[in-house]
Amino acid sequence: MSVAAERRAALPWEVWALLAGGFLVAAGYGIVAPALPVFAQSFGVGVTAAAAVVSALPVLRLLFAPVSGRLVARVGERAMYLAGLLVVAASTGACALATSYPQLLVYRGLGGIGSTMFTVSAFSLIFRLAPEGRRGQVSGLFTGSFLLGGISGPALGGGLVAVDIRAPFLVYAAALVVATAVVGGLLARSTGLGRRRDDPSVAPLTLLGALRSPTYRAALASGLATGWAVQGVRVALVPLFVAVALGREPLWAGIALTVFAVGDGAMLLATSGLSDRRGRRPVVIAGLATVAAGTACLGVLPNLWVLLVASFVAGAGAGLLQPAQGAAVADLVGSGRSGGPALSGFQMATDVGTIIGPIAAGALAEGFGFGVAFGLSGAVAALALVVWLLLGSRPEEQGTRPA
């Protein structure tokens, strides 16, 4: 089938099932986001320790990622996806019962095992099912499903915090159970989805083989920046910035996170499939530049309106960046071979940023102020931008092929 025909074809219904699951997962994650660092501080710890709780989940996810890739190949993507959701549900429910900071840290961290199970499975399925000429669009839809959930989650989470600091964790656990039931019921209709269908004539893409590609190395750099600035520091420091620097109630932290998600979602809608038409590299570069600018400006002035505007700008950059870099990795893997190790490696790079970012930025915020912390996070995105600029134009990352 030509690329033009693939772009006109309907997406497989399994893709829509995964999008529904992504929405429910993100809605629950967004509910917890405003509460997590504030809950940690309720045990009498400082800003750095409170920010470190955000890193607990990606630490376990990072450690378990190599194992999850092998389990997906052995057990099947569908089973691993559903099992991962249930593990995170149990971990999140346990967080609501934590009576000390170490307990909260351990319970949150254990969710990383389930997180990598369903994340690697979902990415493997979504890229395998996506038509070759529409990987950028499907990657954008997958990202968008998380963001739609993220738009509804943080504001609700901020409101729940005002009622009970533990309530968001219980609601998130329930949302994950619902996601498991909904997605499991939908995917049960697909008789062959859990079995791998690799082309025996094409060698699997190993991590070492992927690392030989300059595009993959550039994607690792931007993935680390995404984890640092978009997923880690934003979630860890914005609630603390609102409480400590602005002296506002937690509801405004939820609103700021929602504004970021709105900017992200608006950009996704406006540029759907853009990297399929224009190539991955220019879209990634534009996204990194916007993320760097928006993130660096977050703490320039201790002003609520500056925070909201900068959050929207950073969100718009993320809406450009994440689908394009994900599609660039999918282009390297293709649809006819296993690419679990390469996908796991990309996730691990993101997790490294998610782990290191909140801790480093939290320490800087405590010692030098929030402006320095957000400035460093913007610089990390700028460094990834330089890597993509030096990459040059390569056929493997264009995202477009002749029809």
Side-chain angles (χ1 to χ4, degrees):
M1 181 184 294
S2 69
V3 173
E6 287 175 337
R7 288 175 179 165
R8 291 191 298 268
L11 294 175
W13 64 263
E14 292 94 340
V15 168
W16 298 105
L18 292 169
L19 296 179
F23 170 82
L24 291 173
V25 168
Y29 182 82
I31 288 171
V32 168
L36 187 58
V38 178
F39 187 30
Q41 277 199 312
S42 71
F43 294 114
V45 300
V47 173
T48 303
V53 172
V54 177
S55 299
L57 186 146
V59 165
L60 266 292
R61 189 167 62 193
L62 176 65
L63 295 175
F64 196 73
V67 179
S68 68
R70 293 193 293 270
L71 286 176
V72 166
R74 180 175 300 178
V75 178
E77 292 148 327
R78 181 176 59 196
M80 284 288 290
Y81 180 88
L82 299 176
L85 291 177
L86 291 177
V87 170
V88 179
S91 167
T92 305
C95 285
L97 306 178
T99 57
S100 66
Y101 175 79
Q103 285 185 8
L104 178 64
L105 194 65
V106 170
Y107 294 153
R108 182 64 176 171
L110 290 176
I113 295 175
S115 178
T116 192
M117 289 167 65
F118 77 74
T119 301
V120 172
S121 300
F123 271 112
S124 181
L125 284 170
I126 207 81
F127 289 143
R128 181 182 295 270
L129 293 167
E132 186 173 319
R134 299 177 69 180
R135 289 193 187 117
Q137 180 191 13
V138 171
S139 181
L141 287 172
F142 192 54
T143 303
S145 70
F146 277 88
L147 290 169
L148 286 175
I151 289 172
S152 58
L156 176 58
L160 289 172
V161 169
V163 177
D164 189 327
I165 194 66
R166 301 173 189 269
F169 299 94
L170 297 174
V171 172
Y172 184 28
L176 288 170
V177 173
V178 172
T180 304
V182 170
V183 179
L186 291 172
L187 296 185
R189 296 170 49 198
S190 180
T191 58
L193 190 60
R195 296 194 300 270
R196 306 199 68 83
R197 299 178 177 178
D198 300 332
D199 186 344
S201 66
V202 181
L205 181 61
T206 64
L207 181 58
L208 183 61
L211 286 171
R212 296 191 183 101
S213 164
T215 299
Y216 184 74
R217 296 196 297 270
L220 294 182
S222 58
L224 186 145
T226 300
W228 185 302
V230 174
Q231 299 175 10
V233 170
R234 176 179 61 89
V235 175
L237 284 196
V238 166
L240 299 175
F241 178 70
V242 169
V244 176
L246 301 183
R248 301 275 185 162
E249 56 272 17
L251 176 63
W252 283 105
I255 292 174
L257 295 176
T258 301
V259 168
F260 177 96
V262 169
D264 200 337
M267 184 60 72
L268 281 170
L269 289 174
T271 62
S272 176
L274 180 63
S275 71
D276 290 328
R277 302 186 297 272
R278 301 297 184 185
R280 315 301 186 204
R281 178 173 170 268
V283 179
V284 170
I285 288 172
L288 283 169
T290 310
V291 167
T295 302
C297 289
L298 281 174
V300 169
L301 292 173
N303 180 279
L304 181 62
W305 295 109
V306 172
L307 170 67
L308 296 179
V309 171
S311 295
F312 183 87
V313 171
L320 278 173
L321 169 62
Q322 294 183 90
Q325 69 180 5
V329 176
D331 289 341
L332 296 173
V333 176
S335 58
R337 62 176 172 176
S338 171
L343 293 173
S344 295
F346 176 66
Q347 178 192 301
M348 290 170 70
T350 304
D351 288 339
V352 168
T354 309
I355 294 164
I356 298 175
I359 296 174
L364 285 173
E366 213 163 28
F368 302 96
F370 285 95
V372 175
F374 287 122
L376 173 65
S377 302
V380 171
L383 287 175
L385 168 62
V386 172
V387 175
W388 277 92
L389 285 172
L390 295 175
L391 177 65
S393 181
R394 296 174 183 271
E396 67 183 356
E397 58 82 37
Q398 290 302 300
T400 55
R401 294 175 175 83

